[in-house]
Amino acid sequence: MKRVAVLISGGGSNMLALLRDMVGDHPGRAVFVGSNDPTAPGLQRAAELGVAVAAVDHRPFGRDRAAFEAAMLAPILASEPDILCLAGFMRVLTPEFVRRFEGRMLNIHPSLLPKYPGLHTHARALAAGDTEAGCTVHEVTAELDAGPILGQARVPVLPGDTEAALAERVLRQEHRLYPAVLRRYAQGDRSRLDL
Ligand code: GAR
């Protein structure tokens, strides 16, 4: 059984999709949910599901990423995770932090990587006139949104789409893709999944 920790920054809908999947014969169990935002609504929802939660506000640390990460690391390590999932975690991690979890840290990103790493993915897809959008689960490496791809799900871009409409269509697929990839990953299967 793999112990799975999840980091969030906001609503945590992807985190909830992962937690709800980790029951029964699932090869993983959620052991911790952490956030850099103490007001993240997802924290309470995770606690209601019986998972240990902790928040470390990044703001008092200013630009000192290493100090923030050291504080965030304490409860993560205390939960002894085998796998660390970033699920809407909106802080860029230092190479030192990434190295510590190398080969066992996943992220979900709302674009078809390598297209549109970083922010505002849906606005960029619309501005480019793309006919297809989607989401990617990948292993985290020191380079932002550039680690090995473990899975992707695609959606059409529809005529008249707004950023919000496209984001919602993609998010529904994120909720299918991330649990499916984590199940495989926790079993040691790192082959690519396309939904
Ligand atoms: C999701 O769309 C996720 O892909 C995105 O933030 C959203 C979080 O929603 N992540 C990133 O943009 C990472 N750079 P959630 O809190 O409801 O899961």
Side-chain angles (χ1 to χ4, degrees):
M1 189 67 70
K2 300 288 187 200
R3 299 171 62 82
V4 178
V6 187
L7 296 184
I8 65 170
S9 294
S13 69
N14 276 293
M15 172 274 296
L16 284 172
L18 295 177
L19 261 53
R20 290 189 179 125
D21 199 47
M22 278 186 272
V23 295
D25 66 355
H26 194 289
R29 280 292 179 272
V31 293
F32 175 69
V33 173
S35 175
N36 62 299
D37 180 353
T39 67
L43 282 175
Q44 192 180 337
R45 303 173 80 183
E48 283 163 10
L49 290 175
V51 177
V53 301
V56 176
D57 191 344
H58 68 277
R59 288 169 298 187
F61 295 96
R63 288 166 183 269
D64 192 346
R65 285 186 194 279
F68 161 68
E69 288 176 0
M72 189 80 251
L73 200 54
I76 296 173
L77 292 181
S79 74
E80 301 184 343
D82 299 303
I83 298 172
L84 182 57
C85 290
L86 307 182
F89 184 67
M90 302 307 278
R91 307 301 301 167
V92 174
L93 295 167
T94 64
E96 291 71 29
F97 187 98
V98 172
R99 207 171 299 127
R100 188 180 271 274
F101 292 99
E102 203 165 337
R104 53 197 185 107
M105 175 155 51
L106 308 184
N107 179 46
I108 187 152
H109 183 75
S111 79
L112 295 172
L113 291 172
K115 268 192 162 181
Y116 314 130
L119 299 174
H120 311 301
T121 55
H122 305 304
R124 289 153 74 196
L126 290 173
D130 291 355
T131 56
E132 189 178 54
C135 51
T136 303
V137 176
H138 63 95
E139 278 195 46
V140 178
T141 57
E143 195 184 340
L144 184 71
D145 299 329
I149 290 175
L150 296 165
Q152 290 191 321
R154 293 163 187 275
V155 301
V157 177
L158 301 178
D161 254 351
T162 60
E163 197 179 334
L166 181 57
E168 192 189 317
R169 193 174 310 122
V170 171
L171 189 63
R172 279 201 296 274
Q173 295 307 309
E174 294 184 40
H175 298 162
R176 294 177 61 218
L177 180 68
Y178 209 173
V181 169
L182 178 61
R183 262 183 192 260
R184 294 154 61 99
Y185 196 81
Q187 282 160 343
D189 180 355
R190 294 172 187 211
S191 62
R192 181 180 166 129
L193 175 68
D194 282 285
L195 294 184

